[in-house]
């Protein structure tokens, strides 16, 4: 005889599965009477709830924590959608944390997820997260996979965009169009991909025999408002740039709006290349060129890594680079 | 003698508070040796960990769940920031859920938060959430406060914008400027504020002795991409509108980009009024007029309500309307 499922029992009793589940755990929010009814039905059906298992370290809670540095960044919504889709197939519930780039909030959330015996954690490390922060957590944390940013000097599974190539192809294209004064906007040396990106950009300049001007690097938090505000600073330098490469999608969208406010015509007298592959880049005016990355794929790979790590905690750590592709629109044109 | 705090003990032992906390709970991820050291230090210090309390229904876990319909909507980031700030003062950790407008995902998260004995839940109900969905949850859920949207026909604490006034003032202003064909973009009858808003808009038309054309209501999910796509439909009607009122900030920003792509000059040959008070409305080109709401204040009120509800579960439920204010920019101009 097939053992009945929890939902069959719930249906039989006219209760929700949530109520049955809580009654089984003798949660006091469920009335004594309902708890007794559930107990009786379970006994009759031969359903065995392995209550003792729930407290064990090895037990699965089917919960995964996802830690985002900036919950309003639409590129993460896209990765999230992929992650949630993959995890739904596995019957796992997602708990999110918005660190707002605060390392302590990140630690506190991971600690709580540990206490709740989460199966694993996906982490976009807050700016300035150190190897020591993770080392500390290793003692109690469930498996962690980093996405979008790495923790330098710390062995942890990571899935990041191939930023060196992204920077290289964007700069190479602008150089080919005759631009020499190229600004780089957003990100800081506190975020790992920034350094990869700069490496690629410098390489393109070297190959073209051009000198890269460090004064045209405008570091800032990669958010829309800071891109907007950077516009004035960019146009204020002596011999101002005629093109810019944005660190991510939103900082570039902010920069675009800021430049337009100051009278620049994007794709006519100023060329702009963004990063990441969110829809909004195509839904802006003009649509923005981008070193695009398949965010859905990125989310899928992250979950593959996390599931492997959960099933084999001692395997060597892996770094996966997701390829990027230069997608050109009317936002870039030859230097004139 | 003052009892030592957990962090003092951690410091004394050269451990993190997280490790001490887990050791106290005899979590098996902490080595036997460390657990013994912590136990000894606690015994010596006279620190008493009320372990039994942790399992009780009434115990506080200092965790609050926040359920968002669309985690990438920047207006929620602003409310979130306020909520997280208030909760941090109370020492509470925030767990987020992104329902992506899916009612089942919402139920599943609330169930998990219940099992984890969360102190409370802040809910932006997914589109189509019914009174019966909440009735079901009432049996086990911690206190819930709704924000931004209500559940019609269900008594639950709610904090929403005063949408009737928002719709009324926006429509009245456009009518005063001579616009007669005014489109309404975004939202659906499945979201409670939509109906309040429509009431205010109709009232303004009635007072002006003008007829409101229901064919100019373009319902859609209130997200950027759908606003962008609505632009073509709006301009395709016979006797097309010369102005539009957007349901929220992002749908209006999408609409703006879409209209611009189709050659419309916002504030010159098409007037646009958004809703909500996010920065991006001012960082766009042109900055957008908006029926603005103080999102920080909204977040603050939500947490006030939640804390009151936690301390008095039987008090009558409250609906708080947050006032809106029409903020005008160059995005609106007289009909010509």
């Amino acid at each position: 005889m097939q053992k009945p499922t929890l939902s069959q029992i719930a249906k039989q009793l006219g209760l929700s599965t949530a109520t049955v589940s809580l009654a089984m755990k003798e949660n006091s929010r469920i009335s004594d009477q309902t708890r007794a009814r559930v107990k009786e039905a379970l006994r009759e059906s031969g359903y065995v709830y392995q209550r003792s298992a729930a407290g064990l370290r090895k037990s699965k809670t089917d919960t995964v924590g996802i830690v985002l540095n900036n919950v309003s960044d639409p590129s993460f919504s896209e990765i999230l959608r992929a992650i949630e889709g993959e995890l739904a197939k596995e019957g796992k519930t997602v708990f999110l944390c918005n660190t707002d780039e605060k390392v302590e909030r990140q630690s506190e959330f991971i600690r709580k997820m540990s206490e709740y015996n989460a199966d694993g954690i996906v982490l976009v490390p807050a700016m300035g997260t150190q190897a020591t922060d993770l080392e500390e957590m290793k003692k109690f944390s469930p498996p962690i996979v980093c996405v979008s940013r790495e923790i330098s000097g710390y062995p942890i599974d990571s899935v990041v965009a191939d930023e060196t190539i992204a920077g290289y192809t964007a700069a190479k294209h602008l150089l080919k169009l005759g631009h020499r004064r190229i600004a780089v906007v957003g990100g800081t040396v506190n975020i790992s991909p920034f350094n990869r990106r700069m490496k690629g950009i410098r390489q393109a300049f070297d190959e073209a025999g051009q000198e890269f001007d460090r004064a045209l690097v405008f570091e800032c938090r990669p958010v829309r408002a800071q891109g907007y505000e950077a516009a004035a600073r960019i146009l204020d330098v002596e011999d101002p740039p005629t093109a810019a490469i944005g660190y991510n999608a939103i900082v570039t969208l902010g920069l675009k709006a800021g430049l337009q406010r100051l009278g620049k015509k994007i794709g006519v007298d100023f060329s702009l290349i963004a990063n990441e592959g969110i829809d909004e880049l195509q839904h802006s005016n003009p649509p923005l060129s981008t070193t695009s990355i398949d965010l859905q794929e990125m989310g899928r790979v992250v979950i593959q890594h996390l599931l492997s790590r959960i099933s084999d905690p001692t395997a060597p750590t892996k770094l996966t680079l997701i390829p990027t592709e230069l997608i050109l629109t009317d936002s870039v044109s030859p230097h004139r």
Side-chain angles (χ1 to χ4, degrees), chain A residues 115-140:
Chain A
E115 291 182 357
Y116 289 159
N117 264 348
D119 294 349
I121 286 171
V122 175
L123 174 67
V124 184
M127 266 166 61
T129 301
Q130 304 292 320
T132 48
D133 296 314
L134 277 247
E135 191 57 36
E136 184 57 53
M137 281 170 204
K138 208 165 90 180
K139 292 173 198 143
F140 54 84

Side-chain angles (χ1 to χ4, degrees), chain A residues 288-305:
Chain A
L288 289 187
S289 300
T290 179
T291 43
S292 178
I293 175 171
D294 185 339
L295 296 165
Q296 285 282 329
E297 171 68 6
M298 190 175 220
R300 210 183 51 73
V301 173
V302 165
I303 293 308
Q304 265 183 358
H305 280 30

Side-chain angles (χ1 to χ4, degrees), chain A residues 61-132:
Chain A
T61 52
D62 284 331
T63 303
V64 169
I66 303 186
V67 185
L68 298 175
N69 61 311
N70 171 12
V71 85
S72 75
D73 185 331
S75 71
F76 292 125
S77 320
E78 204 139 314
I79 297 175
L80 245 186
R81 200 156 290 145
I83 287 179
E84 288 173 331
E86 294 294 317
L87 291 176
K89 287 184 212 158
E90 308 278 328
K92 295 191 196 298
T93 301
V94 169
F95 281 28
L96 298 179
C97 171
N98 179 37
T99 63
D100 206 18
E101 306 283 13
K102 293 186 182 77
V103 177
E104 311 111 72
R105 189 176 286 173
Q106 176 175 288
S107 301
E108 179 60 23
F109 178 80
I110 295 177
R111 189 176 70 78
K112 285 255 177 174
M113 293 270 33
S114 307
E115 291 182 357
Y116 289 159
N117 264 348
D119 294 349
I121 286 171
V122 175
L123 174 67
V124 184
M127 266 166 61
T129 301
Q130 304 292 320
T132 48

Side-chain angles (χ1 to χ4, degrees), chain A residues 264-335:
Chain A
K264 285 287 173 193
K265 287 186 181 52
I266 304 302
V268 179
D269 53 20
F270 200 98
S271 290
L272 205 49
I273 298 181
N275 192 28
E276 300 167 338
I278 66 168
D279 277 354
E280 194 191 339
L281 293 170
Q282 301 315 309
H283 292 159
S284 67
N285 182 47
L288 289 187
S289 300
T290 179
T291 43
S292 178
I293 175 171
D294 185 339
L295 296 165
Q296 285 282 329
E297 171 68 6
M298 190 175 220
R300 210 183 51 73
V301 173
V302 165
I303 293 308
Q304 265 183 358
H305 280 30
L306 186 65
L307 296 177
S308 310
R309 176 59 54 194
I310 290 170
S311 67
D312 183 2
T314 61
T317 56
K318 277 190 293 194
L319 169 67
T320 302
L321 296 178
I322 304 287
T324 66
E325 183 193 358
L326 182 62
I327 294 178
L328 293 170
T329 69
D330 290 344
S331 79
V332 297
S333 61
H335 180 251

Side-chain angles (χ1 to χ4, degrees), chain A residues 1 4 17 37 65 141 184 204 254 291:
Chain A
M1 193 187 89
T17 53
R37 276 182 65 209
S141 165
V184 174
T291 43

Side-chain angles (χ1 to χ4, degrees), chain A residues 149-190:
Chain A
R149 303 174 178 174
E150 313 144 64
I151 311 280
S152 49
Y154 189 73
I156 190 162
D157 297 307
S158 306
V159 181
V160 300
D162 193 344
E163 299 282 352
T164 312
I165 296 292
Y168 175 77
T169 52
K172 188 175 169 179
H173 186 75
L174 291 171
L175 286 161
K176 208 177 69 188
L177 291 174
H179 296 278
R180 293 293 172 262
R181 303 282 292 162
I182 301 173
V184 174
V185 180
T188 84
V189 291
N190 276 329

